[in-house]
Amino acid sequence: MRPFTETTANITVSVEPAPLPEESNPDEGVFAFSYSITVKNGSEDTVQLMERHWLIESAERQIGEVTGAGVVGVQPVLEPGADFSYTSSVVINDPVGAMKGSYVFRRSSGGFFVVQIPRFKLVYPSLFH
């Protein structure tokens, strides 16, 4: 599967979701997914990822909103041309859902800007059996 990708202000965010069958229980409405994200700095500035904001959907309805400092406990600094990757997870109540969001970055030269995280689908494989 091709990653979901979006570029804002020369910062590219790519997301690859995957089901986590070992952490899911479809009979009880528990559908777990991992998502691996790579953030690439294509700008000429050094930038730091300061905050994240997520909207989580299950069966086309919003079930959660997450905001906080950085990602996976860090606020990575990316030099021009550098990238940062991490993996996280989410649990939804239906076999189909989606996530989207944004990051707030700070430029070393001053100022903050928002980078979009592409909307990506979460599809549990039991739908195809």
Side-chain angles (χ1 to χ4, degrees):
M1 176 190 286
R2 220 172 101 230
F4 297 83
T5 302
E6 187 162 341
T7 301
T8 310
N10 293 315
I11 307 296
T12 301
V13 179
S14 298
V15 185
E16 293 188 56
L20 293 172
E22 65 280 3
E23 295 180 27
S24 298
N25 187 339
D27 293 338
E28 294 184 15
V30 176
F31 298 89
F33 297 86
S34 69
Y35 52 94
S36 297
I37 295 186
T38 299
V39 179
K40 179 153 181 68
N41 182 5
S43 77
E44 295 181 9
D45 288 320
T46 297
V47 298
Q48 183 174 17
L49 194 161
M50 303 302 295
E51 298 175 12
R52 70 189 181 285
H53 179 222
W54 286 106
L55 296 175
I56 304 162
E57 301 171 15
S58 185
E60 298 184 11
R61 68 187 184 287
Q62 185 177 321
I63 62 163
E65 185 169 5
V66 177
T67 58
V71 291
V72 294
V74 296
Q75 293 178 309
V77 174
L78 293 103
E79 302 288 335
D83 59 51
F84 175 79
S85 297
Y86 71 96
T87 299
S88 192
S89 61
V90 65
V91 174
I92 60 175
N93 310 109
D94 301 280
V96 177
M99 290 178 65
K100 64 182 176 181
S102 60
Y103 296 127
V104 174
F105 278 85
R106 180 175 61 196
R107 286 187 180 89
S108 62
S109 59
F112 293 86
F113 63 103
V114 175
V115 170
Q116 296 305 308
I117 302 168
R119 184 176 190 274
F120 58 95
K121 292 185 180 273
L122 304 168
V123 180
Y124 198 76
S126 63
L127 289 178
F128 302 109
H129 294 236

